[in-house]
Amino acid sequence: SDADAARRGGAQSHPLEHSWTFWFDNPSAKSKQTAWGSSIRPIHTFATVEDFWSLYNNIHHPSKLIVGADFHCFKNKIEPKWEDPVCANGGKWTISCVRGKADQLWLYTLLALIGEQFEYGDEICGAVVSVRMKQERIALWTKNAANEEAQISIGRQWKELLDCNDTIGFIFHEDAKKDKVP
Amino acid sequence: DYDGYEASTQKKYSRDFLMTLSQQFSELPVGFEIGSDIADALMSTPLGKSPC
């Protein structure tokens, strides 16, 4: 089959529009670090459908990750941090669900990103799933929070793609930062 | 031509199309490396497993 051929030699591989990087923030390392973000690190960069599945099929899905973990999928060269120049003026849409229920939402989010299903895909930085004690949150990071038309379109399309009927929230990174100030 | 693939300026793939490939790639990417400190937290399959 084509898939077998791709595995052997990559001849039939399916290139993606963008390269994407998976990042992992390990909660057990977090406690030993003083600065936020110092425990986050890139895991793998992929640029084909085949390479995506090769990694995805070998890593824990959100329901199996330990509490406190953050797993990111961002366009290559964009760091999943507020400080990244591409993210600095952006914001995020967030969907929450009870612990153990985010696996399908996360997969569908990833497939929509790498498959370029968003009309305003250029406005997207990436996505992150955050595993917490009682819930799992998935956030979609965007580039220009002031571009209201793009934000509305992305949020609406995301809900449609996930078949989500809940109200989802958007927050500017600038406002999120203020909330963190003691 | 594949269903779900549009050979335009953008490489678009539908979810249904991507899912058809999901079970055909079970081996870790060639050259994949990860620190042992996070391997346990992240990996669902043991590292160093021979592909054959």
Side-chain angles (χ1 to χ4, degrees):
Chain A
S1 71
D2 290 342
D4 290 334
R7 184 161 53 186
R8 283 194 302 269
Q12 293 290 327
S13 68
H14 296 80
L16 300 173
E17 179 72 14
H18 293 98
S19 295
W20 298 83
T21 301
F22 282 130
W23 299 70
F24 186 57
D25 202 355
N26 186 16
S28 59
K30 236 182 242 181
S31 57
K32 298 170 194 158
Q33 309 284 344
T34 48
W36 184 90
S38 53
S39 64
I40 188 171
R41 72 172 88 159
I43 299 298
H44 186 62
T45 297
F46 59 94
T48 66
V49 177
E50 289 73 13
D51 206 10
F52 165 77
W53 285 120
S54 293
L55 195 74
Y56 184 82
N57 287 334
N58 286 288
I59 56 174
H60 285 311
H61 300 160
S63 63
K64 296 281 175 60
L65 288 173
I66 45 179
V67 170
D70 295 306
F71 190 70
H72 312 250
C73 179
F74 270 56
K75 282 175 186 160
N76 190 23
K77 309 291 185 197
I78 302 179
E79 295 198 9
K81 300 173 182 176
W82 291 331
E83 295 83 357
D84 187 283
V86 181
C87 301
N89 296 310
K92 63 180 178 181
W93 285 105
T94 303
I95 287 179
S96 302
C97 62
V98 297
R99 174 89 172 109
K101 298 293 182 192
D103 290 6
Q104 188 183 67
L105 298 176
W106 175 238
L107 176 59
Y108 284 2
T109 298
L110 292 178
L111 296 182
L113 289 178
I114 68 172
E116 300 296 333
Q117 296 297 300
F118 288 95
E119 185 182 351
Y120 285 89
D122 285 349
E123 289 288 319
I124 294 175
C125 298
V128 52
V129 59
S130 301
V131 178
R132 298 298 180 261
M133 195 72 80
K134 291 185 175 165
Q135 64 172 0
E136 287 156 7
R137 290 193 303 271
I138 301 175
L140 202 53
W141 283 39
T142 61
K143 290 181 186 173
N144 308 297
N147 183 346
E148 194 176 328
E149 184 185 347
Q151 310 313 314
I152 299 293
S153 169
I154 289 167
R156 184 175 294 150
Q157 264 196 299
W158 193 29
K159 283 182 64 170
E160 286 171 8
L161 288 160
L162 301 187
D163 201 18
C164 166
N165 296 316
D166 300 340
T167 302
I168 65 175
F170 185 83
I171 186 165
F172 288 60
H173 291 326
E174 274 299 320
D175 293 335
K177 260 189 273 188
K178 284 173 202 157
D179 290 343
K180 294 277 183 191
V181 175
Chain B
D1 282 359
Y2 297 101
D3 285 336
Y5 175 67
E6 296 167 22
S8 59
T9 50
Q10 270 205 332
K11 299 178 190 71
K12 291 188 180 185
Y13 303 97
S14 70
R15 179 202 300 166
D16 287 347
F17 173 74
L18 292 171
M19 292 297 285
T20 63
L21 295 173
S22 68
Q23 295 307 312
Q24 299 174 50
F25 300 92
S26 57
E27 290 158 24
L28 276 168
V30 174
F32 178 77
E33 286 180 23
I34 190 171
S36 58
D37 54 331
I38 58 172
D40 288 346
L42 184 62
M43 307 306 295
S44 61
T45 50
L47 289 175
K49 193 182 68 173
S50 168
C52 301

